[in-house]
């Protein structure tokens, strides 16, 4: 079956620009996670949704980061006024409950 | 705060050599433990997991890991590696009382020489 998909796969933004990253989870998966992965590091937790409810956003690094999942399926991670330190791979993962996570290919964001 | 430490950032082995990748975590409570693998050009995928029960866990492709609670460790092993095991390996921990956050280690890049 179809896995987790993310778009765009690559995004180049000028500093100060807003970006929106999309995640399509596996159909029927209740849980959705966003991670940020800097070069040479492991994924760092950003936020978690259970259906449409954002139950944990403790990993969002600043108020410039915002995530939503309004209908409990597709999710969007928005970064306002991007800065160079936001350059990273943004990973989305979904899970039928809260155990094994199925990862998407990631969106590689480069802020110039 | 929870953290996960992977001892080696880069490992180079010849085919048929034995593999052990170290993973230690810092959290005193009950945890779920994972090893994920990322093959070149592919997504992160689950290799194996430990929730409870037998501390020796077997995963896909001949990998196994042992949970030693007293050492806060969850080391990954494989008796004989193959060239196709070349990948990056991530250890991850989810504390059952820590909300939904999963903490990943920095990863170990394994290169297996044919």
């Amino acid at each position: 079956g179809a896995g987790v998909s993310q778009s765009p796969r690559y995004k180049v933004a000028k500093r100060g620009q807003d970006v929106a990253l999309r995640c399509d989870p596996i159909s029927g998966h209740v849980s959705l996670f966003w991670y940020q992965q800097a070069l040479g590091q492991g994924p760092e937790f950003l936020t978690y949704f259970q259906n449409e409810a954002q139950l944990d956003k403790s990993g969002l690094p600043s108020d410039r980061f915002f995530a939503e999942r309004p209908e409990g399926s597709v999710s969007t991670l928005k970064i306002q006024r991007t800065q160079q330190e936001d350059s990273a791979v943004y990973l989305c993962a979904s899970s039928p409950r809260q155990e094994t996570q199925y990862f998407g290919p990631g969106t590689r964001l480069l802020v110039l | 705060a929870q953290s996960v430490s992977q001892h080696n950032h880069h490992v180079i082995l010849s085919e048929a050599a034995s593999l052990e990748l170290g993973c230690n975590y810092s959290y005193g409570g009950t945890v779920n433990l994972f090893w994920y693998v990322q093959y070149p050009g592919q997504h992160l995928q689950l290799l194996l997991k430990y929730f409870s029960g037998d501390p020796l866990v077997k995963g896909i492709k001949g990998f196994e890991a042992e949970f030693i609670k007293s050492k806060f460790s969850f080391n990954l092993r494989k008796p004989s590696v193959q060239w196709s095991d070349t990948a990056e390996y991530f250890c991850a921990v989810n504390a059952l009382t820590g909300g939904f956050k999963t903490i990943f280690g920095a990863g170990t890049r394994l290169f297996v020489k044919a």
Side-chain angles (χ1 to χ4, degrees), chain B residues 82-103:
Chain B
Q82 301 173 315
W83 176 79
S84 57
D85 294 325
T86 294
E88 188 159 19
Y89 294 81
F90 293 92
C91 181
V93 174
N94 170 247
L96 295 187
T97 56
F100 308 98
K101 187 178 293 189
T102 300
I103 308 298

Side-chain angles (χ1 to χ4, degrees), chain A residues 33 35 37 40-43 45 48 55-56 58 91 98-101 103-105, chain B residues 32 34 36 38 43-44 46 49 51 90 94 98-102 104-107:
Chain A
F33 302 79
Y35 293 88
Q37 186 174 18
Q41 299 297 316
F45 172 85
Y48 165 75
L55 299 185
D56 189 339
S58 61
L91 296 169
Q98 194 196 324
E99 23 176 285
T100 304
Q101 296 177 41
F103 283 83
Chain B
N32 293 330
F34 308 83
Y36 284 86
Q38 187 166 24
H43 311 177
L44 268 170
L46 183 72
K49 62 186 178 185
F51 286 175
F90 293 92
N94 170 247
F100 308 98
K101 187 178 293 189
T102 300
F104 283 78

